[in-house]
Amino acid sequence: MGLSDKALGGLMLLTAAFVFSYYTIWALILPLLPIDSGLHEKFPAREWAVKLPAAILLVGLTAIGGFLGMVMLKEAQKQKAKRAGKSA
């Protein structure tokens, strides 16, 4: 049985809060700490703080563009079939 909407929303909120906190510490606070701090061992290299979101954005925009392209092609085919049906 699936989760209720309230439980699912709470889980999504907690996940988003965790990701936001982790990324904020990684990208904004970690550069201010000394290199020999033990906190640096718990995070990937700082270069990934830029590369990872850029890659996610690229994949997301590509997926959205592909979806919109498929919808536009299907609509064009429907319109073409509709016009062919009217003229016949």
mmCIF file of all heavy atoms in Angstrom, residues 36-73:
data_model
loop_
_atom_site.group_PDB
_atom_site.id
_atom_site.type_symbol
_atom_site.label_atom_id
_atom_site.label_comp_id
_atom_site.label_asym_id
_atom_site.label_seq_id
_atom_site.Cartn_x
_atom_site.Cartn_y
_atom_site.Cartn_z
ATOM 1 N N ASP A 36 42.711 21.375 6.602
ATOM 2 C CA ASP A 36 42.942 20.220 7.471
ATOM 3 C C ASP A 36 41.739 19.876 8.355
ATOM 4 O O ASP A 36 41.798 18.967 9.170
ATOM 5 C CB ASP A 36 44.184 20.433 8.335
ATOM 6 C CG ASP A 36 44.080 21.677 9.210
ATOM 7 O OD1 ASP A 36 43.155 22.471 9.005
ATOM 8 O OD2 ASP A 36 44.955 21.845 10.088
ATOM 9 N N SER A 37 40.630 20.571 8.152
ATOM 10 C CA SER A 37 39.418 20.281 8.923
ATOM 11 C C SER A 37 38.885 18.895 8.559
ATOM 12 O O SER A 37 38.911 18.485 7.394
ATOM 13 C CB SER A 37 38.362 21.338 8.623
ATOM 14 O OG SER A 37 37.129 20.996 9.221
ATOM 15 N N GLY A 38 38.387 18.180 9.545
ATOM 16 C CA GLY A 38 37.860 16.841 9.304
ATOM 17 C C GLY A 38 36.587 16.836 8.485
ATOM 18 O O GLY A 38 36.204 15.816 7.915
ATOM 19 N N LEU A 39 35.938 17.974 8.406
ATOM 20 C CA LEU A 39 34.690 18.069 7.644
ATOM 21 C C LEU A 39 34.920 17.906 6.143
ATOM 22 O O LEU A 39 34.048 17.445 5.415
ATOM 23 C CB LEU A 39 34.017 19.409 7.937
ATOM 24 C CG LEU A 39 32.558 19.557 7.586
ATOM 25 C CD1 LEU A 39 31.732 18.509 8.300
ATOM 26 C CD2 LEU A 39 32.071 20.939 7.945
ATOM 27 N N HIS A 40 36.128 18.255 5.680
ATOM 28 C CA HIS A 40 36.444 18.130 4.254
ATOM 29 C C HIS A 40 36.404 16.678 3.780
ATOM 30 O O HIS A 40 36.158 16.417 2.602
ATOM 31 C CB HIS A 40 37.827 18.725 3.953
ATOM 32 C CG HIS A 40 37.834 20.210 3.885
ATOM 33 N ND1 HIS A 40 37.471 20.912 2.763
ATOM 34 C CD2 HIS A 40 38.134 21.143 4.817
ATOM 35 C CE1 HIS A 40 37.561 22.202 2.998
ATOM 36 N NE2 HIS A 40 37.957 22.378 4.256
ATOM 37 N N GLU A 41 36.638 15.747 4.678
ATOM 38 C CA GLU A 41 36.649 14.332 4.303
ATOM 39 C C GLU A 41 35.250 13.801 4.028
ATOM 40 O O GLU A 41 35.086 12.789 3.360
ATOM 41 C CB GLU A 41 37.278 13.508 5.432
ATOM 42 C CG GLU A 41 38.717 13.855 5.706
ATOM 43 C CD GLU A 41 39.243 13.175 6.952
ATOM 44 O OE1 GLU A 41 38.500 12.389 7.566
ATOM 45 O OE2 GLU A 41 40.415 13.424 7.297
ATOM 46 N N LYS A 42 34.235 14.460 4.527
ATOM 47 C CA LYS A 42 32.861 13.983 4.390
ATOM 48 C C LYS A 42 32.174 14.469 3.110
ATOM 49 O O LYS A 42 31.042 14.099 2.843
ATOM 50 C CB LYS A 42 32.044 14.413 5.601
ATOM 51 C CG LYS A 42 32.601 13.873 6.906
ATOM 52 C CD LYS A 42 31.694 14.131 8.044
ATOM 53 C CE LYS A 42 32.199 13.698 9.377
ATOM 54 N NZ LYS A 42 33.125 12.652 9.492
ATOM 55 N N PHE A 43 32.856 15.277 2.320
ATOM 56 C CA PHE A 43 32.275 15.847 1.107
ATOM 57 C C PHE A 43 33.170 15.553 -0.087
ATOM 58 O O PHE A 43 34.388 15.448 0.054
ATOM 59 C CB PHE A 43 32.128 17.366 1.254
ATOM 60 C CG PHE A 43 31.128 17.778 2.296
ATOM 61 C CD1 PHE A 43 31.512 18.000 3.605
ATOM 62 C CD2 PHE A 43 29.800 17.943 1.960
ATOM 63 C CE1 PHE A 43 30.599 18.373 4.562
ATOM 64 C CE2 PHE A 43 28.866 18.321 2.916
ATOM 65 C CZ PHE A 43 29.281 18.534 4.218
ATOM 66 N N PRO A 44 32.581 15.455 -1.282
ATOM 67 C CA PRO A 44 33.397 15.301 -2.497
ATOM 68 C C PRO A 44 34.198 16.584 -2.761
ATOM 69 O O PRO A 44 34.025 17.592 -2.089
ATOM 70 C CB PRO A 44 32.364 15.086 -3.603
ATOM 71 C CG PRO A 44 31.109 14.720 -2.914
ATOM 72 C CD PRO A 44 31.164 15.338 -1.562
ATOM 73 N N ALA A 45 35.056 16.539 -3.768
ATOM 74 C CA ALA A 45 35.854 17.711 -4.138
ATOM 75 C C ALA A 45 34.924 18.874 -4.499
ATOM 76 O O ALA A 45 33.812 18.680 -5.013
ATOM 77 C CB ALA A 45 36.758 17.371 -5.321
ATOM 78 N N ARG A 46 35.389 20.087 -4.226
ATOM 79 C CA ARG A 46 34.538 21.271 -4.445
ATOM 80 C C ARG A 46 34.184 21.484 -5.907
ATOM 81 O O ARG A 46 33.161 22.072 -6.222
ATOM 82 C CB ARG A 46 35.223 22.512 -3.892
ATOM 83 C CG ARG A 46 35.095 22.609 -2.410
ATOM 84 C CD ARG A 46 35.501 23.967 -1.935
ATOM 85 N NE ARG A 46 36.847 24.309 -2.356
ATOM 86 C CZ ARG A 46 37.792 24.740 -1.557
ATOM 87 N NH1 ARG A 46 37.542 24.891 -0.302
ATOM 88 N NH2 ARG A 46 38.976 25.037 -2.011
ATOM 89 N N GLU A 47 35.017 21.010 -6.825
ATOM 90 C CA GLU A 47 34.713 21.185 -8.248
ATOM 91 C C GLU A 47 33.391 20.509 -8.622
ATOM 92 O O GLU A 47 32.688 20.950 -9.517
ATOM 93 C CB GLU A 47 35.848 20.674 -9.112
ATOM 94 C CG GLU A 47 36.064 19.175 -9.004
ATOM 95 C CD GLU A 47 37.327 18.714 -9.670
ATOM 96 O OE1 GLU A 47 38.326 19.457 -9.647
ATOM 97 O OE2 GLU A 47 37.309 17.591 -10.208
ATOM 98 N N TRP A 48 33.045 19.440 -7.900
ATOM 99 C CA TRP A 48 31.790 18.738 -8.169
ATOM 100 C C TRP A 48 30.579 19.524 -7.690
ATOM 101 O O TRP A 48 29.457 19.239 -8.098
ATOM 102 C CB TRP A 48 31.809 17.350 -7.556
ATOM 103 C CG TRP A 48 32.729 16.453 -8.306
ATOM 104 C CD1 TRP A 48 33.975 16.063 -7.962
ATOM 105 C CD2 TRP A 48 32.472 15.869 -9.584
ATOM 106 N NE1 TRP A 48 34.517 15.270 -8.932
ATOM 107 C CE2 TRP A 48 33.608 15.131 -9.947
ATOM 108 C CE3 TRP A 48 31.391 15.902 -10.464
ATOM 109 C CZ2 TRP A 48 33.693 14.439 -11.140
ATOM 110 C CZ3 TRP A 48 31.482 15.195 -11.655
ATOM 111 C CH2 TRP A 48 32.615 14.482 -11.974
ATOM 112 N N ALA A 49 30.797 20.512 -6.827
ATOM 113 C CA ALA A 49 29.695 21.369 -6.380
ATOM 114 C C ALA A 49 29.166 22.211 -7.535
ATOM 115 O O ALA A 49 28.040 22.708 -7.479
ATOM 116 C CB ALA A 49 30.147 22.274 -5.237
ATOM 117 N N VAL A 50 29.959 22.370 -8.581
ATOM 118 C CA VAL A 50 29.522 23.092 -9.780
ATOM 119 C C VAL A 50 29.149 22.107 -10.889
ATOM 120 O O VAL A 50 28.128 22.266 -11.557
ATOM 121 C CB VAL A 50 30.631 24.049 -10.263
ATOM 122 C CG1 VAL A 50 30.248 24.703 -11.574
ATOM 123 C CG2 VAL A 50 30.920 25.097 -9.200
ATOM 124 N N LYS A 51 29.969 21.078 -11.072
ATOM 125 C CA LYS A 51 29.751 20.127 -12.166
ATOM 126 C C LYS A 51 28.456 19.325 -12.009
ATOM 127 O O LYS A 51 27.737 19.112 -12.987
ATOM 128 C CB LYS A 51 30.922 19.152 -12.273
ATOM 129 C CG LYS A 51 32.191 19.769 -12.778
ATOM 130 C CD LYS A 51 33.294 18.731 -12.861
ATOM 131 C CE LYS A 51 34.581 19.323 -13.371
ATOM 132 N NZ LYS A 51 35.652 18.326 -13.439
ATOM 133 N N LEU A 52 28.165 18.879 -10.799
ATOM 134 C CA LEU A 52 26.986 18.045 -10.575
ATOM 135 C C LEU A 52 25.677 18.789 -10.855
ATOM 136 O O LEU A 52 24.842 18.294 -11.621
ATOM 137 C CB LEU A 52 27.015 17.471 -9.163
ATOM 138 C CG LEU A 52 25.969 16.435 -8.821
ATOM 139 C CD1 LEU A 52 26.122 15.210 -9.711
ATOM 140 C CD2 LEU A 52 26.092 16.029 -7.366
ATOM 141 N N PRO A 53 25.447 19.985 -10.296
ATOM 142 C CA PRO A 53 24.208 20.700 -10.628
ATOM 143 C C PRO A 53 24.117 21.074 -12.112
ATOM 144 O O PRO A 53 23.034 21.057 -12.693
ATOM 145 C CB PRO A 53 24.261 21.961 -9.761
ATOM 146 C CG PRO A 53 25.161 21.626 -8.644
ATOM 147 C CD PRO A 53 26.162 20.669 -9.202
ATOM 148 N N ALA A 54 25.269 21.390 -12.731
ATOM 149 C CA ALA A 54 25.261 21.709 -14.157
ATOM 150 C C ALA A 54 24.845 20.497 -14.979
ATOM 151 O O ALA A 54 24.057 20.610 -15.933
ATOM 152 C CB ALA A 54 26.636 22.205 -14.595
ATOM 153 N N ALA A 55 25.338 19.319 -14.620
ATOM 154 C CA ALA A 55 24.972 18.096 -15.333
ATOM 155 C C ALA A 55 23.492 17.765 -15.130
ATOM 156 O O ALA A 55 22.791 17.391 -16.084
ATOM 157 C CB ALA A 55 25.837 16.931 -14.865
ATOM 158 N N ILE A 56 23.004 17.929 -13.900
ATOM 159 C CA ILE A 56 21.583 17.670 -13.631
ATOM 160 C C ILE A 56 20.705 18.638 -14.419
ATOM 161 O O ILE A 56 19.687 18.235 -14.994
ATOM 162 C CB ILE A 56 21.308 17.755 -12.116
ATOM 163 C CG1 ILE A 56 21.972 16.587 -11.401
ATOM 164 C CG2 ILE A 56 19.813 17.779 -11.831
ATOM 165 C CD1 ILE A 56 21.961 16.691 -9.896
ATOM 166 N N LEU A 57 21.112 19.902 -14.467
ATOM 167 C CA LEU A 57 20.362 20.897 -15.235
ATOM 168 C C LEU A 57 20.358 20.549 -16.721
ATOM 169 O O LEU A 57 19.314 20.640 -17.387
ATOM 170 C CB LEU A 57 20.960 22.285 -15.008
ATOM 171 C CG LEU A 57 20.267 23.446 -15.699
ATOM 172 C CD1 LEU A 57 18.855 23.627 -15.143
ATOM 173 C CD2 LEU A 57 21.065 24.714 -15.530
ATOM 174 N N LEU A 58 21.496 20.141 -17.248
ATOM 175 C CA LEU A 58 21.590 19.776 -18.657
ATOM 176 C C LEU A 58 20.698 18.585 -18.995
ATOM 177 O O LEU A 58 19.953 18.611 -19.985
ATOM 178 C CB LEU A 58 23.045 19.466 -19.021
ATOM 179 C CG LEU A 58 23.324 19.110 -20.473
ATOM 180 C CD1 LEU A 58 23.028 20.304 -21.369
ATOM 181 C CD2 LEU A 58 24.760 18.675 -20.627
ATOM 182 N N VAL A 59 20.734 17.564 -18.163
ATOM 183 C CA VAL A 59 19.890 16.384 -18.387
ATOM 184 C C VAL A 59 18.410 16.756 -18.278
ATOM 185 O O VAL A 59 17.580 16.336 -19.104
ATOM 186 C CB VAL A 59 20.260 15.255 -17.396
ATOM 187 C CG1 VAL A 59 19.228 14.143 -17.420
ATOM 188 C CG2 VAL A 59 21.639 14.713 -17.723
ATOM 189 N N GLY A 60 18.062 17.566 -17.281
ATOM 190 C CA GLY A 60 16.668 17.977 -17.103
ATOM 191 C C GLY A 60 16.148 18.786 -18.274
ATOM 192 O O GLY A 60 15.038 18.547 -18.760
ATOM 193 N N LEU A 61 16.924 19.757 -18.728
ATOM 194 C CA LEU A 61 16.491 20.571 -19.865
ATOM 195 C C LEU A 61 16.395 19.747 -21.145
ATOM 196 O O LEU A 61 15.501 19.964 -21.968
ATOM 197 C CB LEU A 61 17.438 21.752 -20.058
ATOM 198 C CG LEU A 61 17.366 22.836 -18.984
ATOM 199 C CD1 LEU A 61 18.434 23.896 -19.233
ATOM 200 C CD2 LEU A 61 15.985 23.462 -18.934
ATOM 201 N N THR A 62 17.305 18.787 -21.303
ATOM 202 C CA THR A 62 17.241 17.904 -22.469
ATOM 203 C C THR A 62 15.968 17.056 -22.432
ATOM 204 O O THR A 62 15.294 16.882 -23.453
ATOM 205 C CB THR A 62 18.484 17.004 -22.520
ATOM 206 O OG1 THR A 62 19.648 17.827 -22.585
ATOM 207 C CG2 THR A 62 18.447 16.084 -23.716
ATOM 208 N N ALA A 63 15.631 16.536 -21.256
ATOM 209 C CA ALA A 63 14.416 15.732 -21.118
ATOM 210 C C ALA A 63 13.168 16.568 -21.389
ATOM 211 O O ALA A 63 12.249 16.114 -22.078
ATOM 212 C CB ALA A 63 14.346 15.110 -19.723
ATOM 213 N N ILE A 64 13.121 17.780 -20.862
ATOM 214 C CA ILE A 64 11.973 18.660 -21.099
ATOM 215 C C ILE A 64 11.862 19.006 -22.575
ATOM 216 O O ILE A 64 10.771 18.967 -23.154
ATOM 217 C CB ILE A 64 12.086 19.929 -20.238
ATOM 218 C CG1 ILE A 64 11.892 19.576 -18.766
ATOM 219 C CG2 ILE A 64 11.071 20.981 -20.669
ATOM 220 C CD1 ILE A 64 12.230 20.706 -17.811
ATOM 221 N N GLY A 65 12.984 19.325 -23.198
ATOM 222 C CA GLY A 65 12.974 19.636 -24.632
ATOM 223 C C GLY A 65 12.534 18.450 -25.477
ATOM 224 O O GLY A 65 11.767 18.596 -26.425
ATOM 225 N N GLY A 66 13.002 17.265 -25.124
ATOM 226 C CA GLY A 66 12.584 16.055 -25.850
ATOM 227 C C GLY A 66 11.102 15.789 -25.691
ATOM 228 O O GLY A 66 10.408 15.443 -26.654
ATOM 229 N N PHE A 67 10.592 15.966 -24.474
ATOM 230 C CA PHE A 67 9.168 15.762 -24.223
ATOM 231 C C PHE A 67 8.327 16.761 -25.022
ATOM 232 O O PHE A 67 7.332 16.382 -25.672
ATOM 233 C CB PHE A 67 8.868 15.899 -22.733
ATOM 234 C CG PHE A 67 7.410 15.835 -22.401
ATOM 235 C CD1 PHE A 67 6.734 14.637 -22.440
ATOM 236 C CD2 PHE A 67 6.710 16.988 -22.080
ATOM 237 C CE1 PHE A 67 5.380 14.574 -22.151
ATOM 238 C CE2 PHE A 67 5.361 16.944 -21.786
ATOM 239 C CZ PHE A 67 4.691 15.737 -21.827
ATOM 240 N N LEU A 68 8.711 18.028 -24.987
ATOM 241 C CA LEU A 68 7.968 19.037 -25.746
ATOM 242 C C LEU A 68 8.029 18.758 -27.246
ATOM 243 O O LEU A 68 7.034 18.944 -27.956
ATOM 244 C CB LEU A 68 8.511 20.433 -25.445
ATOM 245 C CG LEU A 68 8.209 20.977 -24.058
ATOM 246 C CD1 LEU A 68 8.899 22.313 -23.849
ATOM 247 C CD2 LEU A 68 6.714 21.106 -23.849
ATOM 248 N N GLY A 69 9.185 18.314 -27.736
ATOM 249 C CA GLY A 69 9.306 17.969 -29.150
ATOM 250 C C GLY A 69 8.389 16.821 -29.540
ATOM 251 O O GLY A 69 7.722 16.873 -30.591
ATOM 252 N N MET A 70 8.294 15.798 -28.695
ATOM 253 C CA MET A 70 7.407 14.666 -28.981
ATOM 254 C C MET A 70 5.946 15.112 -28.979
ATOM 255 O O MET A 70 5.169 14.698 -29.844
ATOM 256 C CB MET A 70 7.612 13.552 -27.953
ATOM 257 C CG MET A 70 8.899 12.804 -28.134
ATOM 258 S SD MET A 70 9.127 11.338 -27.085
ATOM 259 C CE MET A 70 8.056 11.528 -25.731
ATOM 260 N N VAL A 71 5.575 15.950 -28.023
ATOM 261 C CA VAL A 71 4.194 16.432 -27.960
ATOM 262 C C VAL A 71 3.866 17.256 -29.197
ATOM 263 O O VAL A 71 2.792 17.094 -29.792
ATOM 264 C CB VAL A 71 3.966 17.259 -26.672
ATOM 265 C CG1 VAL A 71 2.645 17.999 -26.724
ATOM 266 C CG2 VAL A 71 4.015 16.355 -25.455
ATOM 267 N N MET A 72 4.783 18.104 -29.605
ATOM 268 C CA MET A 72 4.547 18.928 -30.794
ATOM 269 C C MET A 72 4.418 18.067 -32.047
ATOM 270 O O MET A 72 3.567 18.339 -32.908
ATOM 271 C CB MET A 72 5.666 19.958 -30.952
ATOM 272 C CG MET A 72 5.628 21.037 -29.882
ATOM 273 S SD MET A 72 7.068 22.105 -29.877
ATOM 274 C CE MET A 72 6.936 22.896 -31.452
ATOM 275 N N LEU A 73 5.241 17.028 -32.176
ATOM 276 C CA LEU A 73 5.153 16.130 -33.334
ATOM 277 C C LEU A 73 3.820 15.374 -33.350
ATOM 278 O O LEU A 73 3.185 15.232 -34.401
ATOM 279 C CB LEU A 73 6.304 15.141 -33.341
ATOM 280 C CG LEU A 73 7.659 15.691 -33.789
ATOM 281 C CD1 LEU A 73 8.745 14.650 -33.593
ATOM 282 C CD2 LEU A 73 7.596 16.133 -35.232
#
